[in-house]
Amino acid sequence: EEREKGRARTMADLSRTRVMKASTSTPGGTRRFMLTRRAASPPLPLRLRPRLDVRRVRGAKTSVTTTTETTEDKVLKDGTTLSLAAMTWGEVFPVAELWTQIFCEYYYGVDNKEKTYERRVSEFLYYFTMLYSSIACALDNQAFCAIAFCARDEGKEASGAIAGRYVGPQLGSYHKVLFGDYWDTLAAQQFQADAEDLKLLYLWNFGVQRESRKRGVGEKIMKRVESVEATGVDIKGIFLFVYKTNHAAIRLYEK
């Protein structure tokens, strides 16, 4: 009964999906847009997630820097060395754990340590959903996962990660899962392109470890995506979903 109530609350949240237009506008050929949900819902496994209504999407232009760089080292504001690299099989489990920790802290709160039965089950299911996503990134040549590693005194650890997938009619049917029949309208109105030729980059599972936030990690990850992954296979735009209440993430995307 509690599970059904939670599922009903999730459906209610998604039925009130709102769309937010990105505010930046700079010269360039790639468009970027966000779709915002009203509030966070309990983590659900992938097969239970309903399709979102994205019929009111809007676009905003943003610049893309062309580069073939795949791994880079940056020095953060506090002197910590940050390395950005594509995920390998050795990072599949750590990345799944990182994503699970980030989302559960966001949904339940950092200070909420109470481990109810419902929460344990929810976290268990969410972890395997994230593990599925990690494995998919490693197996699927149309998907990727970029990881930020922070080198500290105690060693090197994954501090942030983002997954992405190239979508379009020429790349399979995943675009239909996300946009349904709206894909043709999106291509014509937002990109002035033929629907069969349009290719977009869908980002999901983006998160930065709490201890590494406000140090430029998230911004470096997004810049890598725009300069490396977004320059492949004739990508025309980048899009993602974000909770309306996740103001820190929205501010980052608007940059």
Side-chain angles (χ1 to χ4, degrees):
E1 182 180 357
E2 288 299 321
R3 185 163 58 250
E4 290 301 322
K5 287 181 180 178
R7 200 172 303 173
R9 287 195 299 270
T10 300
M11 293 298 293
D13 281 346
L14 295 179
S15 68
R16 289 189 286 270
T17 298
R18 293 190 57 191
V19 178
M20 173 179 178
K21 183 167 73 172
S23 60
T24 54
S25 180
T26 56
T30 300
R31 295 191 174 191
R32 176 177 58 189
F33 51 91
M34 299 178 292
L35 304 174
T36 64
R37 297 181 192 168
R38 184 181 65 83
S41 302
L44 292 174
L46 191 63
R47 63 183 180 85
L48 297 180
R49 292 180 180 175
R51 193 177 70 193
L52 297 178
D53 181 7
V54 294
R55 296 182 182 274
R56 293 175 294 166
V57 67
R58 294 292 184 271
K61 291 184 178 180
T62 183
S63 61
V64 174
T65 305
T66 57
T67 177
T68 57
E69 190 175 27
T70 56
T71 302
E72 53 185 329
D73 292 334
K74 302 288 185 182
V75 179
L76 301 180
K77 300 171 184 177
D78 61 354
T80 302
T81 302
L82 174 70
S83 301
L84 300 174
M87 185 185 71
T88 64
W89 278 103
E91 286 91 38
V92 166
F93 288 99
V95 166
E97 293 174 1
L98 176 67
W99 280 335
T100 303
Q101 176 189 358
I102 291 170
F103 184 88
C104 289
E105 284 182 352
Y106 172 73
Y107 179 74
Y108 293 107
V110 177
D111 299 326
N112 184 1
K113 305 297 183 181
E114 183 181 3
K115 291 283 188 176
T116 63
Y117 174 77
E118 181 182 2
R119 176 172 175 174
R120 290 179 184 276
V121 172
S122 181
E123 290 181 356
F124 177 79
L125 294 174
Y126 195 79
Y127 170 75
F128 278 97
T129 301
M130 295 299 97
L131 183 60
Y132 172 84
S133 295
S134 297
I135 295 174
C137 290
L139 289 176
D140 192 344
N141 60 1
Q142 301 298 343
F144 70 88
C145 178
I147 309 174
F149 296 96
C150 281
R152 299 189 177 94
D153 294 337
E154 60 271 20
K156 182 179 176 182
E157 65 174 352
S159 298
I162 189 170
R165 176 185 291 275
Y166 304 106
V167 299
Q170 298 180 15
L171 304 174
S173 60
Y174 203 81
H175 66 291
K176 289 292 185 182
V177 176
L178 296 168
F179 289 97
D181 296 334
Y182 184 66
W183 180 264
D184 293 348
T185 305
L186 177 70
Q189 294 184 358
Q190 300 298 325
F191 297 96
Q192 294 78 48
D194 188 292
E196 291 300 315
D197 297 329
L198 180 62
K199 299 173 185 176
L200 299 177
L201 174 57
Y202 166 50
L203 302 178
W204 84 96
N205 287 1
F206 175 43
V208 176
Q209 191 180 49
R210 181 164 51 89
E211 293 78 8
S212 299
R213 292 171 191 166
K214 297 183 179 179
R215 301 168 65 197
V217 176
E219 190 171 350
K220 293 292 191 302
I221 293 176
M222 294 302 294
K223 284 184 177 179
R224 176 204 157 88
V225 170
E226 288 189 334
S227 63
V228 180
E229 280 79 15
T231 60
V233 293
D234 195 26
I235 294 299
K236 298 297 184 184
I238 306 171
F239 73 99
L240 53 82
F241 297 98
V242 61
Y243 289 120
K244 181 184 175 184
T245 54
N246 196 346
H247 304 295
I250 292 175
R251 285 194 297 270
L252 172 63
Y253 301 146
E254 287 178 334
K255 291 181 180 181

